[in-house]
Amino acid sequence: MITYMLKDVLYINLTNQCTNNCSFCIRNHPEGLGFDLWLQKEPSVEEIIEDIKGRENYREVVFCGYGEPLTRYREVIAVARYLKGLDKPVRVNTNGQANLIWGRDIVPELEGYVDSISISLNAADSAEYARLCSPEDGALAYEAVLKFAEACTRHIPEVWLTVVDVISAHQIECCREIAEKMGAKFRVRHYY
Ligand code: SF4
């Protein structure tokens, strides 16, 4: 399934690749969201747009999926360009490792296409992040997420840092402070 609706939000599932393997990831639960989000092949930009054309009555579009959307950031930009033509706000839910994945700062390229970005901070320090998220790049990942988030505050109108309520109340408060210092909004997501 390339796109799916939850209430009045249209979600785009453009990849199953991810550089993390979070202990709380919905991919670890076969029942998932009730949609079949395992892709036989990654959809092209044309296929995604064709799928979007079959949808109506949505107020926002979110690049999300069962994976990390910015592993395909060029496709995100191409589809977002189409959505801008429809005057639809665009959000990206990301693990924040895009600059590590691509080996350079891709955030300026998102400017003007992404209205809101939600970055999974998940932990208040690198060791806890590694324990929860098992990132492919090990100890490099957490610092990369923080730098990515900082860059986003300079290029994207709305930046959220999020955690899942599987960590301690103390860790949650530390994460809230990190977000506030950065000028980002903060959200605690509930683990289902
Ligand atoms: S970053 Fe997101 S998609 Fe990737 S493993 Fe973690 S929860 Fe799953």
Side-chain angles (χ1 to χ4, degrees), residues 76-78 80-82 84 88-91 109-115:
V76 168
I77 291 171
R81 185 181 293 122
Y82 166 78
K84 289 284 119 191
K88 297 289 184 186
V90 170
R91 171 157 56 100
E109 295 173 61
L110 303 177
E111 187 169 334
Y113 297 108
V114 176
D115 303 289

Coordinates of all heavy atoms in Angstrom, one line a residue, residues 76-78 80-82 84 88-91 109-115:
V76 N 10.9 12.4 -2.0 CA 10.1 13.2 -1.1 C 9.9 14.6 -1.7 O 8.8 15.2 -1.8 CB 10.7 13.3 0.3 CG1 10.0 14.3 1.2 CG2 10.6 11.9 1.0
I77 N 11.0 15.2 -2.1 CA 11.0 16.6 -2.7 C 10.1 16.6 -4.0 O 9.3 17.5 -4.1 CB 12.4 17.1 -3.0 CG1 13.1 17.4 -1.6 CG2 12.3 18.4 -3.8 CD1 14.6 17.7 -1.7
A78 N 10.3 15.6 -4.8 CA 9.5 15.6 -6.1 C 8.0 15.5 -5.8 O 7.2 16.2 -6.4 CB 10.0 14.4 -6.9
A80 N 6.5 16.3 -3.0 CA 6.1 17.5 -2.2 C 5.9 18.6 -3.2 O 5.0 19.5 -3.0 CB 7.1 17.8 -1.2
R81 N 6.7 18.7 -4.3 CA 6.5 19.7 -5.3 C 5.1 19.6 -5.9 O 4.4 20.6 -6.1 CB 7.6 19.6 -6.3 CG 7.6 20.7 -7.4 CD 8.7 20.6 -8.4 NE 10.0 20.7 -7.9 CZ 11.0 19.7 -7.9 NH1 10.7 18.6 -8.6 NH2 12.2 19.9 -7.4
Y82 N 4.7 18.4 -6.2 CA 3.4 18.2 -6.7 C 2.3 18.6 -5.7 O 1.4 19.3 -6.1 CB 3.2 16.7 -7.1 CG 1.8 16.3 -7.3 CD1 1.2 16.6 -8.5 CD2 1.1 15.6 -6.3 CE1 -0.2 16.2 -8.7 CE2 -0.2 15.2 -6.6 CZ -0.8 15.5 -7.8 OH -2.2 15.1 -7.9
K84 N 2.6 20.8 -3.3 CA 2.5 22.3 -3.2 C 1.6 22.9 -4.2 O 0.9 23.8 -4.0 CB 3.9 22.8 -3.3 CG 4.9 22.5 -2.1 CD 4.6 23.4 -0.9 CE 4.2 22.5 0.2 NZ 3.6 23.3 1.3
K88 N -1.3 21.7 -0.5 CA -1.4 20.8 0.7 C -0.2 20.9 1.6 O 1.0 20.9 1.1 CB -1.5 19.4 0.3 CG -2.8 19.1 -0.5 CD -4.0 19.1 0.3 CE -5.3 18.7 -0.5 NZ -6.5 18.9 0.3
P89 N -0.4 21.1 2.9 CA 0.8 21.1 3.8 C 1.5 19.7 3.8 O 0.8 18.7 3.8 CB 0.2 21.4 5.2 CG -1.2 21.8 5.0 CD -1.6 21.3 3.6
V90 N 2.8 19.8 3.9 CA 3.6 18.5 3.9 C 4.4 18.4 5.2 O 5.0 19.3 5.6 CB 4.6 18.6 2.7 CG1 5.6 17.4 2.8 CG2 3.8 18.5 1.4
R91 N 4.2 17.2 5.8 CA 5.0 16.9 7.0 C 5.9 15.6 6.7 O 5.4 14.8 5.9 CB 4.1 16.6 8.2 CG 4.7 16.1 9.4 CD 3.9 16.4 10.7 NE 2.6 15.9 10.6 CZ 2.1 14.8 11.2 NH1 3.0 14.0 11.8 NH2 0.9 14.4 11.2
E109 N 17.8 21.5 1.1 CA 17.1 21.1 -0.1 C 15.6 20.9 0.2 O 14.8 20.8 -0.7 CB 17.7 19.9 -0.7 CG 19.1 20.1 -1.2 CD 19.8 18.8 -1.7 OE1 19.3 18.2 -2.6 OE2 20.8 18.5 -1.1
L110 N 15.3 20.7 1.5 CA 13.9 20.5 1.9 C 13.1 21.8 2.1 O 11.9 21.8 2.1 CB 13.8 19.7 3.3 CG 14.5 18.3 3.3 CD1 14.4 17.8 4.7 CD2 14.0 17.4 2.3
E111 N 13.8 22.9 2.2 CA 13.2 24.2 2.4 C 12.3 24.5 1.3 O 12.6 24.4 0.1 CB 14.3 25.3 2.5 CG 13.7 26.6 2.9 CD 14.8 27.6 3.3 OE1 15.9 27.2 3.8 OE2 14.5 28.8 3.2
G112 N 11.1 25.0 1.7 CA 10.1 25.3 0.7 C 9.2 24.2 0.3 O 8.1 24.4 -0.4
Y113 N 9.6 23.0 0.6 CA 8.7 21.8 0.3 C 8.1 21.1 1.5 O 7.1 20.6 1.4 CB 9.6 20.7 -0.5 CG 10.1 21.2 -1.8 CD1 11.4 21.5 -2.0 CD2 9.2 21.4 -2.9 CE1 11.9 22.0 -3.2 CE2 9.7 21.9 -4.1 CZ 11.0 22.2 -4.2 OH 11.5 22.7 -5.4
V114 N 8.9 21.2 2.6 CA 8.4 20.6 3.8 C 8.0 21.7 4.8 O 8.8 22.5 5.1 CB 9.5 19.7 4.4 CG1 9.1 19.1 5.8 CG2 9.9 18.6 3.5
D115 N 6.8 21.6 5.3 CA 6.2 22.6 6.2 C 6.5 22.3 7.6 O 6.6 23.1 8.5 CB 4.7 22.8 6.0 CG 4.4 23.1 4.6 OD1 4.7 24.3 4.2 OD2 3.9 22.2 3.8

